[in-house]
Structures are given as structure tokens and as C-alpha cells.
Amino acid sequence: MSDLVLPLAMAALTLAGILAGYRVAFVLAGSSAIFILLSDLPIAFFNLIVSRIYANVLTNWLLVAIPMFIFMGLILEKSGVAENALKGAQRALGGTAAGMGIAVLVIGVLLAASSGVVGASVVLLALLALPRMVEVGYDKATSSGLIAASGTLAILIPPSVMLIVLGDQLQTPVPDMFAGAIGPGLLLVLLYGIYIIWRARGLPRAEKAAPMGLLRGVLRTLIDVAPLLILVLSVLGSIITGLATPTEASGLGALGAILVTALYRKFDVGVIMDAARDTVLATSMVMMVIVGATCFSAVFKGIGGDAMIRDALGAFGTAPWVVLMVVMAAIFVLGFVLDWLEITLILIPIFAPVIAGLDFGNGLEGQALMIWFGVLVAVNLQTSFLTPPFGFALFYLRGAAGDQVQTTEIYRGVMPFITLQLFALGLMMVFPWLITGLL
């Protein structure tokens, strides 16, 4: 029992600090500093942390992709290029209520693939699509749920910051993580689309456009969407085919976003500076959390935390599927109160070795097994953006929508999409080829 005191106390102190509203990065680093002093070998722990921060963070070129992809998404959002794409899709598919819902979903996918930033996607969709969806007959709950769920695709569909961090933690190639996430992303889009079409049944149909108007609408849509689509396919294609590393492709994506804004004649130094400033702020937050989590992970393992969690998992038996279900349940529950980044950086280094040593009878082993597990975690963590009370997508939507929608309507609207995500997660467990099919 004495072996459990320090790790339990460290976990409790860290969780209490986060729930109290203190900055996560400082809570992780601060609790690490406290328990270094309480440990038997404080100097050895300090040297270990310094070496890990240097080797895993400061000299990790893979992490350079994070600010580049954030900058790419912010440029497209602040310049109005993403807004043009949404309006173009609305014109092309807005003849019916179902068409409007599908238009929002399609643009959510494009924003996801072009930025990987949930906040930008949710805010833009809320500002542009929420009034229009209510106008064509959707209730506010359904409209809010679709916008929030479509925006969260940005954390799963490549290029995704989450997949980059997960690949780094699992020691798996990021291109393979990206390839593994494409199938699950498309599956979620399909499920969302089926649900929104079902919800649109019985809603009134808008007037059909005249043939010439329809033709002009199609051409205008191509003009609005094609450059963004080409940029997305170029970045993803170069990574998945091995023509460029994620870091190289992120730089090309950032440059491509600037060129697209110039093509639309929306290039402005002020936009570039605003995007750069917001990129620095977002990247600083991510890197501080990574540094804090690196400190926490090293100390927590050093005082016996990893052994405590392994023993806790062992209490549920050694059946691989039972262990996996317990891990997934723990990640899902923690998603109600913690951000995906903290869960990834703290728990994945502990859970991954346990999963790597299990045989699930599905033919997966080694790197393929870790990619399957990593994508399962990514889909699971995507729900943390939707689950009340601390789902970040809910905060973004509430802030952007203002008085147009109530918090209870947002909560009610996201519940069907959370259910769909859990259903998709179950399918990916049973049919691993949904993840490994493109590897």
C-alpha cells in the first residue's frame, strides 16, 4: 500500500489543480517539481527530466509541423478563403434542407483537412451556417450538433495535430497514422450524413434554381472550392506517398495557403501578421503542455505510477479485449474533464506498452497494432470535444453563436453525434481493416 501513496497523491493533486482552473502546463510541471522533492533521488529525477525535454521536445523536428499546420489553417480562415468555400457549397447543395446539412458537413471536412484546428472550424461554421440551417427548417439543437461534430473532424482527419502527437508518443510513422485515420474519418462523415438526411425528412424544399443559374452556381462553386481542395490533396498526398515528411509538407502547406490567398486577391500583410501572432500563441500553449507532460510522465513513472496503472488494469483480468475496453472507457470518461493533449501525453506512454504485449486475434502485431490502437484513441478523444461540461467545441460554438442558441440546446444536439462516434469506434475495433486498409 505504501507504494501507492506517492503516485495516487500526485495524480490527485494534478487533477485537482486542473479542475480548479489553473493552467494545465504549470499544474503538470508544478506537481512534478513537488514530487521530485518528495522522491528518494531528486537529483537523478532532475537530470532525467532535463535530458527528456531536450531529446523529446527541443530537438524533435516532427513537432515543427504543429505550428505550420496551425498557421496554414489560420491563414485560410482569416483571409476568407474558407468562408468562400462554405458559401460555394451552400449554393451548390442548398436546394433542400438535406443539401444544406450535407454542405455544412462537406465544408467541415475541407476545413478539417486544411487546418487541423477545431476552434477555427467550429467558429466559422457557426457564424456562417447556423442561421442558414435554422432558416431552412432544422431545429437549433440539430443545427448545433452538426456544426460542433463537423468542426471536431479537424482533430481526426489528416493533417491532424493530434495524430502527429500520437504518432510521436507511440513511436509510429506519422504518414501511417495519417493513412490509418482516413478510413475512420470517412466513416464518421458517412454516419453524420445519414443522420442529417434522416433529420431533414419532411422539411420544406427551397425553389429549384433555373438551369442557367444552376450552371453558374456549379462554376462558381468550383472557383471557390477547387484551390482549397487542391491544397489539401497536395499536402496529404505528399505525406502519404512519402514524397515529403510531415514537417516538409507542413511548410509547403503554409506557403500554399499564402499563395491561395493571393490567388483570391485576399493577400494582406495584416492577415499574415494576425495569423502568425495567433500561431505563436497556440503553439506556445501546446509546447508548454508537452514540456509539462514530459516532466509529469518521467516523475510519475519514477515513483511507481506506471506499475500502479498496470496493476489496476490487471485487476480486470488478462483478456486482451477486456483490457482494451477498460482503457477506452477510461479515456472516454477522462475526456469529460481533461483535454485530449493531457490525456495523450500522460496516459498513452503508460497504456501503449500494455496494449503492445496483447494478442487480439485480429492478425495485428508490432507497428500495425500500435497504429490501430492509436487511431482508436484518436476517435475516442475526438468525443472529448463534444462531451459536456468541458467539451471545447461546445465552448467555441456557444461563444460564436451568442444568443442564437441556448447551452441546453447545444448539449442536446451533440448527444446523437457522440452516440454515432461510439458506434463507429466499435466498428473499428471489430473490423480493424477500416484503419489498416490503406497501410
Side-chain angles (χ1 to χ4, degrees):
M1 182 61 69
S2 60
D3 295 337
L4 301 179
V5 173
L6 283 181
L8 284 175
M10 187 175 184
L13 177 64
T14 304
L15 184 59
I18 293 173
L19 294 180
Y22 293 102
R23 296 287 184 181
V24 171
F26 300 133
V27 171
L28 293 172
S31 62
S32 302
I34 292 173
F35 282 87
I36 282 178
L37 298 177
L38 295 176
S39 66
D40 297 330
L41 301 170
I43 296 178
F45 271 122
F46 178 78
N47 292 334
L48 174 64
I49 287 175
V50 171
S51 64
R52 284 199 177 188
I53 291 175
Y54 182 78
N56 297 343
V57 182
L58 299 183
T59 60
N60 190 341
W61 281 99
L62 178 62
L63 300 182
V64 176
I66 293 176
M68 291 293 99
F69 281 132
I70 292 175
F71 180 76
M72 171 181 159
L74 289 173
I75 286 290
L76 296 173
E77 185 244 330
K78 291 180 179 294
S79 66
V81 171
E83 180 179 347
N84 288 341
L86 176 58
K87 290 180 177 178
Q90 286 179 341
R91 284 193 299 270
L93 300 171
T96 64
M100 173 55 62
I102 296 300
V104 173
L105 185 56
V106 167
I107 296 305
V109 173
L110 287 178
L111 290 175
S114 62
S115 69
V117 181
V118 170
S121 298
V122 173
V123 169
L124 183 61
L125 289 172
L127 293 175
L128 297 178
L130 182 59
R132 181 61 179 144
M133 288 192 69
V134 174
E135 180 184 331
V136 299
Y138 288 102
D139 61 88
K140 292 182 179 180
T142 301
S143 303
S144 300
L146 176 64
I147 289 170
S150 299
T152 60
L153 290 171
I155 206 66
L156 177 65
I157 293 180
S160 160
V161 173
M162 180 194 288
L163 295 176
I164 294 174
V165 176
L166 273 171
D168 181 62
Q169 293 296 309
L170 294 170
Q171 298 297 301
T172 56
V174 172
D176 289 345
M177 291 293 293
F178 281 3
I182 290 176
L186 294 177
L187 175 62
L188 286 174
V189 171
L190 176 63
L191 293 175
Y192 292 171
I194 293 173
Y195 172 73
I196 205 64
I197 291 173
W198 177 76
R199 290 291 298 173
R201 70 194 191 286
L203 295 180
R205 179 184 179 89
E207 291 186 18
K208 292 183 179 180
M212 186 57 68
L214 178 62
L215 179 60
R216 284 198 299 267
V218 171
L219 293 176
R220 180 67 181 274
T221 300
L222 290 176
I223 294 173
D224 288 338
V225 176
L228 182 61
L229 186 60
I230 292 172
L231 174 62
V232 169
L233 293 178
S234 299
V235 172
L236 290 185
S238 64
I239 295 174
I240 294 174
T241 59
L243 294 177
T245 66
T247 303
E248 294 167 343
S250 68
L252 293 174
L255 176 61
I258 295 176
L259 295 178
V260 169
T261 61
L263 178 65
Y264 280 110
R265 298 181 180 179
K266 294 183 179 292
F267 179 84
D268 183 83
V269 175
V271 170
I272 302 296
M273 293 304 296
D274 285 344
R277 188 179 302 109
D278 289 348
T279 299
V280 170
L281 292 174
T283 304
S284 299
M285 180 274 293
V286 171
M287 296 305 295
M288 284 298 296
V289 172
I290 291 177
V291 170
T294 300
C295 298
F296 180 91
S297 177
V299 176
F300 189 68
K301 286 184 178 180
I303 62 177
D306 56 342
M308 180 188 71
I309 292 179
R310 283 196 299 269
D311 291 342
L313 289 175
F316 291 93
T318 57
W321 286 101
V322 174
V323 173
L324 180 63
M325 293 301 295
V326 171
V327 169
M328 289 293 135
I331 291 173
F332 177 75
V333 171
L334 287 173
F336 280 81
V337 293
L338 296 180
D339 186 34
W340 69 268
L341 192 57
E342 296 102 70
I343 296 173
T344 300
L345 295 174
I346 295 172
L347 294 183
I348 296 306
I350 298 173
F351 287 153
V354 176
I355 299 298
L358 299 176
D359 181 6
F360 293 91
N362 53 15
L364 298 181
E365 59 183 14
Q367 185 172 288
L369 176 61
M370 286 293 95
I371 292 172
W372 175 65
F373 173 66
V375 175
L376 289 178
V377 170
V379 175
N380 196 341
L381 286 175
Q382 186 189 350
T383 62
S384 69
F385 285 86
L386 297 176
T387 47
F390 299 119
F392 280 93
L394 311 183
F395 292 155
Y396 297 137
L397 177 57
R398 187 70 182 88
D403 296 332
Q404 296 181 74
V405 62
Q406 300 299 315
T407 301
T408 53
E409 291 174 320
I410 296 176
Y411 286 178
R412 192 168 69 252
V414 298
M415 291 305 170
F417 292 94
I418 294 173
T419 302
L420 289 175
Q421 286 189 225
L422 294 178
F423 174 69
L425 185 63
L427 290 179
M428 294 168 209
M429 290 181 183
V430 177
F431 304 108
W433 54 265
L434 290 170
I435 295 174
T436 60
L438 294 179
L439 298 182

